[in-house]
Amino acid sequence: MRRISCFVIALCLMALASRSAAAALKVVATTPDLGAIAREVGGSDADVTVLALYTQDPHWVDARPHLALALSRADLLIATGAGLEVGWLPVLLTGSRNPEVQTGAKGYLEAAALVPLLDVPARKVDRSEGDIHPQGNPHFTYDPRRVETLAVGIGKRMAELDPEHQRGYFERTRSFVETVRAARKRWEQKLAKARGAKIIGYHRSLAYLADWLGLEVVEHIEPRPGIPPNPSHVAHVLSIAKSAKVRLILQEAWYPDNSSKLIAEKSGARLLRMQGLPNYGAKQSYVAFVDVLVRRLAEALGV
């Protein structure tokens, strides 16, 4: 009888756990940075899946069937927006056949709509000019000040979709914002002497990082966003690097580095290939991700 009772209790606990897992808000984030934020805000009340790998350029993600399947089960989709996922997310949304997370639905949250954007074109642009984003630059999670605002927006939407756990979402949002704010003071102090440093980027993805830390991006190795460098442009960037006394060439690791190495070698600048997104699969938090970035920046800039 004792064995039977233990077995019944175990079955009951498994059923409760199953119901709890089923009740969790199913969240899909397009990129690991959004996923890392959503995971901390959602806590045990949300099950967060990320579509892109941290090693992938988020502009170019294969629209594979298993990603559409994840969207088909989602209660909430958190997308960067501002055209970042325009080449692959619409296909997945169509394939998901989930009306709850389509653009404009309550279960669709565009992160770009929650924060002020930089590099908003003053004139009409089109794709012939490269990987141009008409709404503005979508790489805003490099700025923790904007991430604080973003976390609040994510927490509010989770609470709207899952009011039963509203208190938990709000408490975790507050905790996340306080943690980022405290870390930001530490990061800014560590890189205070780097303000005004001139750097070169590969893609136009450093605007928010530069705005936050007071760096000056004087040129990019891509002649136009998404267009590989040609010899004449490499020569131009090298000339800028020398004349501006550029200290650092900074680029995400998913971009090719042949041209960057050449310019660094001939100009005397250092080349830093950085991890561009948190390692979501390894449960790297947003703060841990920026900790690594700040440490490597400080080492590369000698501050």
Side-chain angles (χ1 to χ4, degrees), residues 43-44 83 115 136 140 145 149 179 200 249:
S44 60
V115 297
F140 42 80
R145 300 169 301 182
T149 303
T179 299
I200 286 174
I249 298 172

Side-chain angles (χ1 to χ4, degrees), residues 85-109:
E85 307 100 338
V86 69
W88 54 275
L89 184 57
V91 175
L92 292 176
L93 282 172
T94 300
S96 75
R97 299 185 180 183
N98 181 355
E100 303 301 322
V101 296
Q102 300 298 319
T103 305
K106 192 174 182 180
Y108 176 87
L109 180 61

Side-chain angles (χ1 to χ4, degrees), residues 221 247-251 257 260-262 264 269-273 296 300:
I221 292 175
R247 298 167 59 184
L248 179 66
I249 298 172
L250 180 63
Q251 67 176 76
D257 62 2
S260 307
K261 285 180 177 177
L262 176 65
R270 293 193 63 175
L271 170 61
L272 174 56
R273 298 176 75 244
R296 295 195 68 203

Side-chain angles (χ1 to χ4, degrees), residues 147-165:
V147 165
E148 292 176 21
T149 303
L150 180 56
V152 171
I154 291 173
K156 285 181 178 179
R157 184 61 60 89
M158 287 181 173
E160 289 173 8
L161 293 171
D162 183 18
E164 181 181 350
H165 300 106

Side-chain angles (χ1 to χ4, degrees), residues 137-190:
N137 192 312
H139 303 283
F140 42 80
T141 55
Y142 281 134
D143 183 351
R145 300 169 301 182
R146 286 173 168 83
V147 165
E148 292 176 21
T149 303
L150 180 56
V152 171
I154 291 173
K156 285 181 178 179
R157 184 61 60 89
M158 287 181 173
E160 289 173 8
L161 293 171
D162 183 18
E164 181 181 350
H165 300 106
Q166 181 184 85
R167 181 176 179 179
Y169 294 125
F170 288 164
E171 287 179 351
R172 287 186 294 269
T173 298
R174 182 174 62 252
S175 176
F176 177 81
V177 169
E178 290 174 351
T179 299
V180 172
R181 193 164 292 170
R184 181 159 62 86
K185 292 180 180 178
R186 182 177 76 248
W187 297 328
E188 290 170 355
Q189 183 178 14
K190 189 173 185 65

